[in-house]
Amino acid sequence: MTNELWEQVRETLKSTVGRNNYTNWIEPLELHSLEDGVAAFQVPTQFMGNYVSRNFGEQIIFEMGRNGAPIKRISFVIGRSQASKAVETIAAKPIAPKQDTGGDLDDRFTFDHFVVGKPNELAHAAAKRVAEGEAVTFNPLFLYGGVGLGKTHLMHAIAHELRDKQPHLNVLYISAEQFMYRFITSLRDKRMMDFKQLFRSVDVLMVDDIQFMAGKESTQEEFFHTFNALIDARKQIIISADRAPGEIRALEERIKSRLQSGLVVDMHPTDFELRLGILQSKEDYYRAQYPDLVIHEGVLEFLAHRISSNIRVLEGALTRLFAFASLVGREITMELTQDCLADILKTSDRKITIEEIQRKVSDHYNIRLSDLIGPKRLRVYARPRQIAMYLAKQHTNRSLPEIGRRFGKRDHTTVMHGVKRVTDLIQNDSQIADDVELLRRAIEH
Ligand code: ADP
Ligand code: MG
């Protein structure tokens, strides 16, 4: 009976939290018990419980109520099915908003823990500037980029820093979903004055994942008024979304244009360097936890190479790897890595052929395939050729002589030279680095 109810609630949540959130956070929740106005859910980790509580607690409570099971709060049972011992209780946030930001922030999402690389350096610099809390220079700051690229991390970092350095400022971080639910519940409870007052009284307002407001007209309307009131009062606003303002469908034009009126910063997909940097910083963190662990040369590079989808997946892979190695007391070798992460690696395990690389490269540079492979030594052909060789070396397991053969019977030393040249250029020529990164993504997908 209770499970049916949960199924039903889960179904309604599917449409309100967005597909990714649903798959990652809501679908895995199992209703453990429903007693005394408390719904307890089984979750594998404490982190998951915290995350769900923080981001979806209110919505779960709200939807449970609408489906005939009014509850006061939700709690979490940590662990897998019967094995669960520790019972953690996390009270959902009260419906009436509190003004402190502290509880909502992830402690690890600070500037110190944010690795800066080319794809995110502008976003980082803008976030840093805003975090100084000085006179507003660009308003709003709009950060956008794909899933897991660090938008939430940066926003939390801003809030942490402001809280430390400018404690008198009233900083409010909220997800667009929370904004929506607070708005709806305030309407329902006839507490709109409180709602308006809360949002009009902040010095810095951050709204995460604004794309969730798409199609929610009354919420947009209220947001628009809040937004204008704060901008007029020269209060800083920071917004994030998974795409550029103009690309968010079912968002009112006037809101789009307002969102574009400040600084719009694109967080680019990660590149190899950044991924490696992040892995190295996490490695330091894990080393403190598992001092005896041995990690073999090349493992981090391998992961940075193979897991390019997003940073969350990359982190998850490393966490699993370290946990596994420490549990079984083994060194982290390449082999262990491949076994332990087989499922994650498989998705990016498509066989890539040299022909495919050659085609993509010649398309990219708009030259003929025959010229890419042929004998001409002009720079317009030679550079793309070297890049294609480099990619062939990186993405296939062909040997240098074999690659040479496929490039018009060239010698393996020519290939070696080409690979080396491109490796150097990636360091020193950002145009080439971008080209290679673009091509790499085109090849992998
Ligand atoms: P988004 O909000 O863009 O989907 P998050 O901010 O939640 O992404 O980031 C996903 C995960 O990746 C978080 O655990 C975050 O700490 C980590 N992460 C993202 N970017 C970086 C970075 N530049 N340095 C270190 N960790 C990062
Ligand atoms: Mg986020």
Side-chain angles (χ1 to χ4, degrees), residues 51 109 146-153 155 173 208-209 240 312:
Y51 191 94
F109 289 4
V147 176
L149 294 184
K151 302 181 293 294
T152 299
H153 189 138
M155 290 178 114
Y173 166 88
D208 205 353
D209 287 321
S240 88
R312 203 170 291 139

Side-chain angles (χ1 to χ4, degrees), residues 201-255:
S201 69
V202 300
D203 296 304
V204 179
L205 174 66
M206 296 187 226
V207 183
D208 205 353
D209 287 321
I210 194 109
Q211 73 273 6
F212 286 122
M213 278 189 200
K216 311 284 189 326
E217 276 154 33
S218 52
T219 305
Q220 284 183 29
E221 177 79 25
E222 185 56 37
F223 174 72
F224 186 68
H225 294 313
T226 305
F227 187 100
N228 288 338
L230 289 176
I231 296 267
D232 288 347
R234 302 185 64 74
K235 305 294 188 188
Q236 181 72 53
I237 297 181
I238 304 148
I239 306 283
S240 88
D242 65 352
R243 65 201 78 173
E247 289 165 16
I248 306 176
R249 280 193 287 145
L251 190 66
E252 283 181 46
E253 283 308 321
R254 57 180 186 165
I255 295 185

Side-chain angles (χ1 to χ4, degrees), residues 105-117 120-133 138 141 143 150-166 171 204 206 238 267 274 278 281-282:
L105 301 176
D106 191 314
D107 290 341
R108 296 162 316 150
F109 289 4
T110 60
F111 281 118
D112 283 349
H113 289 144
F114 191 83
V115 180
V116 185
N120 61 22
E121 69 179 339
L122 186 55
H124 174 262
K128 269 287 203 190
R129 167 64 61 81
V130 169
E132 289 167 4
F138 31 77
L141 169 60
L143 297 172
K151 302 181 293 294
T152 299
H153 189 138
L154 272 184
M155 290 178 114
H156 285 205
I158 294 171
H160 281 303
E161 186 124 333
L162 284 171
R163 202 175 47 177
D164 286 353
K165 302 218 169 120
Q166 311 267 6
V171 180
V204 179
M206 296 187 226
I238 304 148
M267 299 189 76
L274 177 60
I278 289 170
S281 77
K282 306 278 171 198

